[in-house]
Amino acid sequence: MADIINVLPDSVANQIAAGEVIVRPASVVKELLENSVDAGATDIKLIINDAGKTLIQVIDNGKGMSETDARLCFERHATSKLRKIDDLYELITKGFRGEALAAIAAVAQVELKSRLPEADAGTIIEIEGSVCKKQEPIACATGTSIAVKNLFFNVPARRNFLKSNNLETKHIIEEFERVALPHHNLSWSLMHNGLEVYNLRPGNLRQRICALYGAAYNERLVPVNEDTSIIAVTGFIGKPEFAKRKRGEQYFFINDRYIRNAFLHHAVNAGFEDLLPKETFPSYWLNITINPATIDINIHPTKTEINFEDEKSVYSILRATIKQSLGKYSISPTLDFEQEKSFDLPLSKLQSLPQAPQLSVNKDYNPFNLDNYVAPRKLSTFEQQTNVTKSWDILQRELSKSGSEPLPTRSTFDQEHFNTHEHFDFVQLLNTYIVVRNPLELLLIDQQLAHEKIIYHRVLAQLHAEHTAMQQKLFPTTLELNAQDTLVLQELLPQLQKIGFEINEFGGNSFVVNGMPSYFNFDGEQNVIEKIIEQYKNNSTEFKQEAQSRLAMSVAMGLSIKRGSLLSKEELKKIYKDLLLCPNYETTNTGKPIVVRLNKALVQALFERKSQ
Ligand code: ADP
Ligand code: MG
């Protein structure tokens, strides 16, 4: 039989390797940015067109390449960072496998320009699908510029696999931030489709975090600084009250290289102990400096995973450091173990509870009289509330069975008592439930779910209304967001406009807020809008729903009064009254109970069970 084994040509081998290293435009971004850092650049520019699908270009002022190196760097296993196997244990550079540029050149059209500082001329190379098309001397600046065009032009399967421009841009921004954060002493810029997304000046880590996420972060950071014989930990953690509902702002860098490690994450969480509100994730930006010989970073081709020689010690040092940092800055509050911590709404906000919308509230509304029920405007498609009648009927039956005083007819009871609340008591239980007692029954109402329902329907009504209830602000305020949130806010702007936010783009990641919905009272736009954006991002994966109700849900969840917030009697009453105006007010959209009724039958049954 004839020989059948072939050695694959380099172009094929490179394409296969590219499958592992280059999966999307963001992977190219990561490799190019890291190369520029390794080349000692102090100014690095990233230029993206069409979410990196048509152009990814990185321009640096690093040490540049000679004519030979410029050609060699596209070969497989071509690296200047590793010569012998022992070097692997002393690595401080980001690359070392020498496969990134070869992989990129196998699946794109690449143009490289590079010049050594001492050289008279530089070199330009054009390479396409691993085939070199051009190599010439050229006059160019010191440093290197690599433009990667039409990624996956020769691998249609990969190209079709790419996600929407919005999502691919998000991934690129993530990679950019992961390199720009630890290298805060360098200048970075990011342009997307000709617009400047970031222009970061050299500074310390705190300044870099604020430049990326907005100036508001300055007050949210707790410094971390610990030096031991095994590791040094520096950076910042977010104050517990600013913990997010979703993982996101969690960055570990080992020797300035971004890594992912569940074990380290666990250590940080453990350091926070029970300071974190339930179901939230702390923010952190931590750099661990460790002797490279004691770690193995070579276990994954994209190098975001890591193994430690002495995992246990790293864990306990990290946990203790976090705990100590929180303590030092007296973040540890005097905890009341009886109650859930309120984290979303500072107490000062309680003085300014959302007001009822003037447009759609029927002041004479009577919950027990369906004839008088006026559905909020344009909400007629919602089921009419039938629960009230039902429970009233049950009550009446129960009471007549037990032979107690005959009930007043609905209308007299309402007119005489409900509107004045004369016979209604309101108290709060566990800072979480509104307890309403009328002469016939006891209602337990989950304050957070109730308030969410109220806001949800208000926002929906506003989205359907012809006029926007908006209040022009006396002094417009500006809003600074990070690049990802900017994309989300841009998507939401038309709808937010509809519900009464007047927000205009101000270039870069800035916005100007000129007006707020008149049916809410709140201060601090940054906070409110950040909360809505965060919820909106969370809801995208948790709920499959149409855009309007997703927005309404996000506003509701972001702005609602949380369980654990102390409320005044007036506020309890107000939430109860507003809740009654909502369709199907006894349950949430997903069927969770908002109201639990303890009526006579139930109470009697409880006593009977006890006495058996
Ligand atoms: P690695 O980074 O693992 O060495 P790459 O394929 O990313 O492999 O790069 C190959 C080589 O090309 C690098 O080792 C470096 O010598 C050179 N190189 C790549 N990018 C630059 C740059 N921006 N400036 C100077 N040299 C570079
Ligand atoms: Mg590299």
Side-chain angles (χ1 to χ4, degrees):
M1 202 173 114
D3 299 337
I4 51 168
I5 294 180
N6 268 328
V7 174
L8 289 176
D10 268 0
S11 57
V12 177
N14 284 343
Q15 249 194 44
I16 295 171
E20 238 187 315
V21 188
I22 306 299
V23 294
R24 54 171 19 123
S27 338
V28 176
V29 167
K30 173 183 190 295
E31 297 297 338
L32 296 185
L33 295 182
E34 289 187 347
N35 280 346
S36 295
V37 173
D38 284 346
T42 55
D43 185 41
I44 301 169
K45 296 183 170 67
L46 170 61
I47 300 166
I48 300 291
N49 280 348
D50 306 308
K53 291 173 185 173
T54 57
L55 176 73
I56 302 162
Q57 183 172 17
V58 172
I59 304 169
D60 69 44
N61 64 351
K63 65 181 175 204
M65 281 182 263
S66 69
E67 193 188 336
T68 317
D69 282 354
R71 179 65 193 86
L72 253 186
C73 71
F74 292 109
E75 296 298 322
R76 277 188 92 191
H77 311 302
T79 179
S80 56
K81 302 166 192 175
L82 193 69
R83 289 192 186 271
K84 50 186 195 304
I85 193 66
D86 287 348
D87 294 347
L88 203 50
Y89 304 105
E90 287 159 29
L91 270 177
I92 45 158
T93 55
K94 310 212 174 291
F96 54 81
R97 289 168 164 260
E99 59 191 1
L101 288 183
I104 293 168
V107 292
Q109 298 156 343
V110 180
E111 183 202 82
L112 172 141
K113 288 186 217 161
S114 195
R115 181 164 78 86
L116 297 169
E118 65 274 14
D120 295 332
T123 309
I124 177 169
I125 289 188
E126 283 175 18
I127 184 164
E128 191 177 306
S130 299
V131 180
C132 184
K133 301 264 162 164
K134 176 175 172 183
Q135 174 165 3
E136 285 170 10
I138 193 179
C140 61
T142 305
T144 304
S145 153
I146 300 185
V148 177
K149 296 173 195 162
N150 304 320
L151 184 63
F152 300 135
F153 79 100
N154 54 353
V155 205
R158 285 259 152 179
R159 200 174 54 227
N160 298 337
F161 176 77
L162 291 179
K163 298 287 188 302
S164 71
N165 280 7
N166 223 321
L167 196 71
E168 293 298 343
T169 307
K170 221 178 95 175
H171 285 295
I172 289 174
I173 290 170
E174 252 165 36
E175 290 298 349
F176 179 85
E177 292 177 349
R178 288 171 185 174
V179 194
L181 274 163
H183 298 284
H184 45 80
N185 50 344
L186 311 181
S187 290
W188 295 88
S189 71
L190 167 55
M191 300 276 287
H192 185 218
N193 291 339
L195 290 173
E196 185 176 89
V197 180
Y198 283 128
N199 189 355
L200 310 170
R201 302 288 101 222
N204 57 31
L205 179 60
R206 183 187 278 276
Q207 288 164 329
R208 181 54 50 91
I209 292 173
C210 292
L212 288 173
Y213 301 95
Y217 273 67
N218 195 23
E219 284 162 32
R220 304 183 183 179
L221 303 177
V222 176
V224 174
N225 219 324
E226 183 64 86
D227 200 353
T228 71
S229 55
I230 301 175
I231 54 169
V233 189
T234 56
F236 293 95
I237 46 180
K239 292 181 182 169
E241 62 265 37
F242 295 107
K244 300 271 169 173
R245 295 272 174 83
K246 203 175 181 184
R247 280 167 204 274
E249 292 165 4
Q250 302 187 324
Y251 294 89
F252 271 120
F253 307 99
I254 303 279
N255 299 340
D256 294 334
R257 180 206 307 250
Y258 173 82
I259 60 121
R260 240 189 288 260
N261 184 304
F263 189 70
L264 295 182
H265 170 74
H266 195 273
V268 172
N269 257 342
F272 271 87
E273 288 184 327
D274 36 19
L275 291 178
L276 287 172
K278 260 186 208 147
E279 286 160 34
T280 62
F281 301 92
S283 304
Y284 52 81
W285 300 263
L286 296 171
N287 187 39
I288 296 179
T289 313
I290 189 167
N291 177 355
T294 64
I295 50 174
D296 177 10
I297 247 173
N298 196 20
I299 57 174
H300 192 270
T302 58
K303 297 165 293 190
T304 54
E305 273 147 40
I306 189 170
N307 275 344
F308 292 95
E309 206 176 87
D310 187 0
E311 232 174 24
K312 275 198 184 124
S313 308
V314 172
Y315 184 97
S316 29
I317 293 171
L318 192 55
R319 190 181 67 173
T321 304
I322 299 302
K323 203 176 155 187
Q324 198 188 26
S325 308
L326 286 166
K328 218 188 278 174
Y329 284 81
S330 49
I331 301 303
S332 327
T334 42
L335 273 184
D336 180 351
F337 292 100
E338 281 300 304
Q339 68 193 47
E340 233 176 292
K341 235 177 122 235
S342 151
F343 55 92
D344 271 281
L345 206 73
L347 266 179
S348 60
K349 285 258 171 68
L350 291 179
Q351 266 86 64
S352 54
L353 275 181
Q355 297 300 305
Q358 297 312 305
L359 286 172
S360 55
V361 170
N362 170 9
K363 289 222 176 66
D364 301 322
Y365 173 70
N366 167 350
F368 296 104
N369 188 347
L370 273 178
D371 302 337
N372 287 350
Y373 177 68
V374 179
R377 284 209 308 162
K378 298 230 178 175
L379 285 179
S380 48
T381 45
F382 286 106
E383 252 182 80
Q384 296 290 309
Q385 54 187 89
T386 50
N387 292 330
V388 176
T389 15
K390 244 189 253 151
S391 21
W392 187 271
D393 290 343
I394 294 167
L395 255 177
Q396 219 159 13
R397 247 183 287 131
E398 289 301 323
L399 286 172
S400 58
K401 255 193 267 164
S402 61
S404 14
E405 288 272 292
L407 266 179
T409 66
R410 271 182 218 176
S411 59
T412 49
F413 184 90
D414 296 336
Q415 275 145 19
E416 285 173 21
H417 305 295
F418 179 76
N419 285 338
T420 59
H421 289 273
E422 202 183 311
H423 289 262
F424 285 66
D425 283 337
F426 294 86
V427 284
Q428 199 184 13
L429 182 70
L430 300 170
N431 284 356
T432 298
Y433 304 103
I434 303 170
V435 184
V436 185
R437 186 187 63 82
N438 68 39
L440 306 169
E441 58 184 355
L442 208 58
L443 272 60
L444 296 175
I445 300 171
D446 183 313
Q447 68 191 39
Q448 181 173 335
L449 295 182
H451 200 216
E452 275 171 13
K453 183 104 185 173
I454 295 164
I455 300 179
Y456 175 81
H457 284 292
R458 240 164 238 185
V459 171
L460 267 194
Q462 203 52 67
L463 283 171
H464 289 95
E466 276 150 32
H467 301 287
T468 312
M470 195 259 291
Q471 223 156 29
Q472 203 76 29
K473 284 167 60 74
L474 219 46
F475 303 105
T477 42
T478 52
L479 193 70
E480 249 184 275
L481 297 175
N482 65 42
Q484 282 187 29
D485 289 352
T486 298
L487 290 177
V488 178
L489 185 56
Q490 281 165 344
E491 186 187 327
L492 287 180
L493 273 186
Q495 293 188 70
L496 285 173
Q497 194 95 19
K498 196 91 190 37
I499 64 172
F501 286 94
E502 197 195 313
I503 304 173
N504 298 312
E505 295 191 52
F506 198 55
N509 298 320
S510 306
F511 295 84
V512 180
V513 185
N514 288 310
M516 299 288 270
S518 58
Y519 51 99
F520 289 127
N521 283 334
F522 32 43
D523 36 47
E525 292 76 20
Q526 176 101 22
N527 227 347
V528 165
I529 289 162
E530 274 181 8
K531 275 182 188 156
I532 295 174
I533 292 173
E534 204 202 327
Q535 281 300 343
Y536 190 77
K537 288 192 290 190
N538 291 355
N539 291 351
S540 66
T541 45
E542 282 168 28
F543 305 100
K544 285 207 168 66
Q545 37 179 208
E546 52 154 332
Q548 289 191 334
S549 75
R550 181 173 154 200
L551 176 75
M553 187 85 99
S554 308
V555 177
M557 290 167 79
L559 305 188
S560 62
I561 290 170
K562 298 294 179 275
R563 300 188 185 101
S565 310
L566 178 70
L567 301 175
S568 74
K569 207 169 262 305
E570 279 314 302
E571 289 160 348
L572 298 173
K573 218 186 257 189
K574 175 136 185 50
I575 293 178
Y576 173 65
K577 280 184 85 173
D578 289 348
L579 179 66
L580 295 179
L581 290 173
C582 301
N584 296 322
Y585 70 88
E586 301 218 2
T587 49
T588 66
N589 292 359
T590 53
K592 272 197 240 163
I594 298 175
V595 182
V596 170
R597 289 174 184 273
L598 291 178
N599 56 26
K600 185 172 179 186
L602 247 173
V603 176
Q604 277 180 340
L606 281 174
F607 277 104
E608 273 158 26
R609 193 147 18 110
K610 283 269 180 246
S611 61
Q612 270 165 14

